[in-house]
Amino acid sequence: MGIRHPLISEIAKDTYLFNEFGLCNHYLLVGTERALLIDCGMGYYDLRATVERMTDKPYDVVITHGHPDHAGMMHQFERVYMNEKDLPLLPWAARTDFDLNEFHWNNRLHVGDWSVWEVTEDMINRGSLDTQVLPLNEGDVFDLGGRRVTAHALPGHSAGHMYFIDDGSRIAFTGDCCNYNSGTQFAASTFIRDLNRLLAGYGVTYDRIFTGHSTYCGNLDVQSHNIEVVRGLVEAFRSLLRGDAVIGERRMQLFPDKPPHKVLYYGPVVRYPHENDSGPLVCPGFNADKLWEDGEAHIIP
């Protein structure tokens, strides 16, 4: 029999990683006065009931970005905070027509032995509340009592992507803005500057990174994100601006039926293996025709 519940690990004092059946991570941070839930997962269990079993404190819900593996259960909550630039991704990201076939489809794509989990139709819970989406902006602070969590913008993976630095655990919760399958649809130079801003806080405001996908199907280890991946991304996009990047084509594992798109190869960085991967880490999804913002000086940051 496979695992039929999310795996919850305490990664720091009163700081919990929820591994939703290998598909994605979300996090619960508990202070002396309030709690904060970072991201809402896909929709294969009762997230709200789980949070409320773990803490009796009032809590807020924040979403790093509006993709369905991060906003999928937002309708279990009366209100959530999300950057308004990602509002166009809703309601697609939190749609209610969800089934078991989609679980298997998503699970196969997210690396490893999906049969480690046993999910049945009755476990699916996308929620049905008319959720109020409140604005989330650079510099917003959530005071939990004894710890403060600050929101920062790092657009690229999505237009409104946010990450969070917790001064209590000294962890940066970065969603998908700088993980093993990153990329940007925006100016590479701006993306580099934002990544460097994140890097500037390493060892100063935070010591570890946890992303939206640091645990995968069949791999139950709880691991922080290697900061070298962020440095690798910076160098990859610098090579793109210099004109000496290694560019290829690859079918995106999330949309295998679509034509291949350009990818930026770089490394060496150890990543979780995927059946469709070969060679070094890849950074898909960038717009090679938009390396600089309009009117921006062609300076490599």
Side-chain angles (χ1 to χ4, degrees):
M1 176 178 291
I3 301 171
R4 292 181 52 81
H5 56 80
L7 300 182
I8 300 175
S9 304
E10 189 170 17
I11 57 176
K13 185 178 185 300
D14 299 324
T15 307
Y16 304 93
L17 180 157
F18 294 25
N19 174 2
E20 187 184 2
F21 305 104
L23 299 173
C24 54
N25 297 339
H26 29 282
Y27 301 89
L28 178 65
L29 286 55
V30 182
T32 59
E33 302 294 331
R34 300 185 64 83
L36 183 70
L37 176 66
I38 299 177
D39 278 344
C40 293
M42 288 290 293
Y44 297 107
Y45 71 109
D46 192 335
L47 172 58
R48 178 171 182 161
T50 304
V51 169
E52 293 176 0
R53 281 196 300 268
M54 296 182 66
T55 181
D56 59 1
K57 293 180 172 62
Y59 62 91
D60 295 305
V61 181
V62 295
I63 295 176
T64 58
H65 62 292
H67 289 165
D69 49 345
H70 299 264
M73 291 183 278
M74 61 177 280
H75 291 301
Q76 292 187 19
F77 304 95
E78 283 80 8
R79 66 179 195 174
V80 301
Y81 290 86
M82 188 176 77
N83 189 288
E84 64 182 1
K85 292 180 181 177
D86 272 13
L87 289 178
L89 297 173
L90 303 178
W92 163 73
R95 71 194 191 280
T96 56
D97 57 326
F98 216 60
D99 60 29
L100 197 57
N101 287 334
E102 188 151 4
F103 168 80
H104 288 158
W105 182 79
N106 278 293
N107 217 322
R108 287 189 182 96
L109 297 178
H110 283 75
V111 187
D113 181 10
W114 58 267
S115 63
V116 71
W117 312 101
E118 183 178 349
V119 175
T120 52
E121 201 84 30
D122 59 295
M123 295 166 62
I124 296 171
N125 187 340
R126 299 283 277 178
S128 59
L129 297 178
D130 185 13
T131 303
Q132 180 185 13
V133 182
L134 300 175
L136 180 65
N137 297 298
E138 171 71 34
D140 286 351
V141 175
F142 295 85
D143 190 339
L144 309 184
R147 62 196 302 185
R148 290 160 58 88
V149 183
T150 305
H152 299 280
L154 207 167
H157 185 76
S158 72
H161 198 296
M162 306 292 290
Y163 66 92
F164 302 89
I165 295 180
D166 169 34
D167 70 3
S169 65
R170 292 183 61 84
I171 292 174
F173 299 92
T174 60
D176 287 351
C177 66
C178 61
N179 62 15
Y180 294 95
N181 192 27
S182 190
T184 179
Q185 297 293 330
F186 307 97
S189 54
T190 303
F191 191 49
I192 292 171
R193 277 196 287 264
D194 289 338
L195 287 171
N196 276 329
R197 190 165 63 104
L198 169 65
L199 277 172
Y202 183 66
V204 179
T205 58
Y206 70 94
D207 303 313
R208 293 188 291 164
I209 287 178
F210 278 88
T211 76
H213 301 283
S214 62
T215 60
Y216 287 89
C217 313
N219 184 342
L220 307 185
D221 295 336
V222 177
Q223 300 173 334
S224 60
H225 189 58
N226 191 332
I227 195 67
E228 293 305 317
V229 173
V230 186
R231 295 191 178 105
L233 277 172
V234 170
E235 178 54 30
F237 280 93
R238 281 178 171 163
S239 72
L240 184 64
L241 294 176
R242 289 194 304 264
D244 59 5
V246 179
I247 298 175
E249 288 190 341
R250 177 174 177 263
R251 291 187 183 276
M252 180 64 171
Q253 71 266 26
L254 295 175
F255 306 103
D257 297 330
K258 290 187 177 182
H261 58 231
K262 292 180 180 178
V263 293
L264 174 60
Y265 288 85
Y266 65 100
V269 179
V270 177
R271 64 157 293 163
Y272 295 101
H274 186 278
E275 61 183 0
N276 295 329
D277 286 343
S278 62
L281 179 67
V282 297
C283 185
F286 69 90
N287 184 349
D289 299 321
K290 186 172 173 33
L291 302 184
W292 287 272
E293 295 286 1
D294 293 339
E296 183 181 25
H298 291 194
I299 299 172
I300 300 174

